[in-house]
Amino acid sequence: MEISFAAPSSKVRAGAWVVAASEGKALTPAAVKADKASGGALTRALQFSRFTGKAGELMDVVAPEASGVSRLVLVGLGKRAALDAKELEVIAAKIVARLESLGEPAATFEVEVPKGAKVRGGEAAAHLAFGARLRGYSFDKYRTRNLDEYKRHLQTLTVATADAAAARKAWAGLSAVADGVLFARDLVNEPPNVLYPTEFARRVKALSKLGLKVEVLGEAEMKKQGFGALLGVGQGSERESQLVVMQWNGARKKGAPVAFVGKGVCFDTGGLSLKPSAAMMGMKGDMGGAAAVTGTMMALATRKAKVNAVGVIGLVENMPDGGAIRPDDVLTSLSGQTIEVLNTDAEGRLVLADALTYTQRRFKPEFVIDLATLTGAIVQALGFEHAGVFSNNDRLASRLRDAGRRTGERVWQLPLDPAYDKMIRSKIADVKNIGGANSGSITAAQFLKRFIEDGTDWAHLDIAGVAWQDGEQKPMIPSWGTGWGVKLLDQLVREHYES
Ligand code: BES
Ligand code: MN
Ligand code: ZN
């Protein structure tokens, strides 16, 4: 989708002309203009419509030939005081969904945000473009038939705004974030026969062109350094495990970087503790944490964020061959702590343990945030609307909560508490990798905490419920892989960690 910004002009355009009304059918000036240009087609259609102007409501009419446009679309903006950036993005996404179903190749948004809204002018125009771009995504590289049914029709979008210069400036940042979200979605959507650890690493390497510094550690190097936990997970796979380290140094000073660590299990069969077939479906998405970290680093580099940031992802495939780890095995992690593996399907925490140790020891970061599709239990607890957050630092947790509210990638805090530690006590090693039947997300977080060193501010995001979507589609997410986390982490950095 080609997106541009232009001053509103009285000239009639081609394609669909999208104008707005507030709640109570209050047409904005552009909507009045469009109505006139179409000989009253809008006001007439309103008489026979249930349209009231609630946020995201839509009404479309074919425009008379003399108007020069194919159709008029009226979109509701709801109550002005409630209208913020996130709401505008959702509204734009809903418009694009409607235009797609109509098969429109071109559109002009002349959506005037009323006074009193939380975001206006060029900024508002950029957020409309952002929502449109996220909705305009599709993953259809493996379709060879009936392409017309799947392909995106909307090719050109013009967002009309009185402040096009400000819109372009805001869009420079937001389009970088969209790049990161879409890149993360692509990674999650790719099938596991295509996207295995070395292929994932290769795709990250290609991001060097953005100014990211990318290093890849293979199995030999990790073995030398002592990544016993991560390597243990990968040892039942034909595919080589990888650790990828991304660095973006955009701050003026050298200071401690912010750090993001991602679980990158490219496919999770469960290992010898094999998953039943229904539960194994979709486990190509078990690298959603790594995808979010990669997408975030891409966004930061693309928009040249004034921050020092590192992204570390542990890439493995959890498979059950003759060389696989057994339940009962004991692994020695990079930290030196020994781990009794009682269930090979609790593999994500093993990968993260070593990636967290490596990140803290090498970079001494300002904070470390890990993202992982870690437990089915978090889906039981929070469903698909919130990720779980666990943190040893209340300020970091509340910053994540605020950034989540602003971007719509919301998080809900669950407890860390030494009282849960007895559930992961091993009979023979320092810790075991499963807790028990209850509070599975908490015991997983409690396990990770064993690998957080004194003085490190840390938050763990369990994204098992939000990294992909099987049921109802959200307006801004038209694919299975969501790219969840990129918007959230970018917002966190933007608000608090840029110099
Ligand atoms: N990748 C899964 C978690 C998962 C489950 C993500 C469902 C998304 C949807 C993880 O590796 C796993 O298998 N966790 C086990 C842990 C258990 C063995 C302690 C789980 O949640 O059942
Ligand atoms: Mn598993
Ligand atoms: Zn897993």
Side-chain angles (χ1 to χ4, degrees), residues 143-484:
R143 298 195 195 277
T144 69
R145 300 292 194 286
N146 303 327
L147 295 182
D148 200 55
E149 188 181 326
Y150 299 110
K151 74 158 195 257
R152 291 289 179 254
H153 296 91
L154 189 62
Q155 304 294 335
T156 36
L157 170 61
T158 308
V159 183
T161 168
D163 202 347
R168 285 187 203 104
K169 189 156 171 249
W171 179 236
L174 282 173
S175 73
V177 181
D179 287 349
V181 174
L182 302 196
F183 193 77
R185 284 182 188 169
D186 277 349
L187 291 169
V188 174
N189 285 324
E190 280 287 6
N193 59 326
V194 173
L195 194 80
Y196 42 88
T198 51
E199 170 60 15
F200 195 137
R202 196 188 61 75
R203 293 191 187 191
V204 182
K205 269 241 146 203
L207 299 179
S208 315
K209 65 174 190 285
L210 302 173
L212 275 181
K213 188 169 152 206
V214 182
E215 297 160 73
V216 180
L217 278 63
E219 288 186 352
E221 180 60 28
M222 283 193 275
K223 193 161 179 203
K224 206 162 84 193
Q225 294 195 31
F227 285 71
L230 186 155
L231 289 173
V233 176
Q235 79 188 39
S237 167
E238 301 265 305
R239 310 290 198 180
E240 185 179 345
S241 300
Q242 309 267 281
L243 188 90
V244 182
V245 182
M246 298 161 247
Q247 294 181 65
W248 168 250
N249 292 312
R252 248 165 273 137
K253 291 206 197 99
K254 263 201 172 159
V258 299
F260 305 112
V261 171
K263 169 181 173 181
V265 177
C266 294
F267 194 72
D268 182 12
T269 65
L272 290 175
S273 312
L274 197 66
K275 287 182 184 294
S277 36
M280 204 185 292
M281 242 190 302
M283 282 300 147
K284 68 172 184 180
D286 210 18
M287 30 55 72
V293 169
T294 306
T296 301
M297 295 301 291
M298 182 185 187
L300 295 177
T302 304
R303 69 176 182 80
K304 301 204 170 9
K306 291 188 175 58
V307 67
N308 296 332
V310 304
V312 175
I313 56 178
L315 302 171
V316 300
E317 193 182 46
N318 188 20
M319 300 290 278
D321 81 0
I325 40 167
R326 291 154 287 250
D328 281 353
D329 278 0
V330 173
L331 302 174
T332 301
S333 67
L334 183 62
S335 73
Q337 296 176 83
T338 56
I339 305 166
E340 188 182 16
V341 176
L342 291 176
N343 188 322
T344 64
D345 197 12
E347 84 297 341
R349 65 198 74 183
L350 302 175
V351 173
L352 288 174
D354 282 352
L356 284 166
T357 299
Y358 180 85
T359 304
Q360 293 168 92
R361 292 195 176 164
R362 176 165 171 197
F363 294 106
K364 309 273 181 295
E366 160 91 22
F367 66 67
V368 58
I369 296 177
D370 75 75
L371 294 93
T373 49
L374 203 63
T375 66
I378 204 70
V379 193
Q380 295 286 321
L382 300 175
F384 311 115
E385 308 300 335
H386 289 86
V389 60
F390 301 82
S391 183
N392 61 6
N393 183 294
D394 285 338
R395 197 176 64 160
L396 183 57
S398 81
R399 285 178 171 182
L400 279 165
R401 190 169 50 238
D402 291 345
R405 289 210 179 107
R406 244 191 277 292
T407 57
E409 293 186 333
R410 290 177 299 164
V411 304
W412 197 265
Q413 193 170 5
L414 283 90
L416 287 166
D417 188 317
Y420 293 95
D421 269 334
K422 55 183 174 294
M423 296 173 75
I424 52 173
R425 199 174 287 159
S426 162
K427 290 199 175 74
I428 62 169
D430 297 331
V431 66
K432 63 177 175 171
N433 78 328
I434 50 170
N438 302 315
S439 56
S441 304
I442 302 174
T443 48
Q446 212 65 41
F447 176 97
L448 295 179
K449 188 167 184 293
R450 299 283 183 104
F451 299 87
I452 299 304
E453 310 199 331
D454 284 347
T456 305
D457 290 346
W458 163 67
H460 155 57
L461 295 171
D462 193 335
I463 63 170
V466 293
W468 62 80
Q469 53 179 10
D470 277 314
E472 185 204 352
Q473 198 178 287
K474 298 198 166 73
M476 271 195 283
I477 312 173
S479 84
W480 186 79
T482 60
W484 197 100

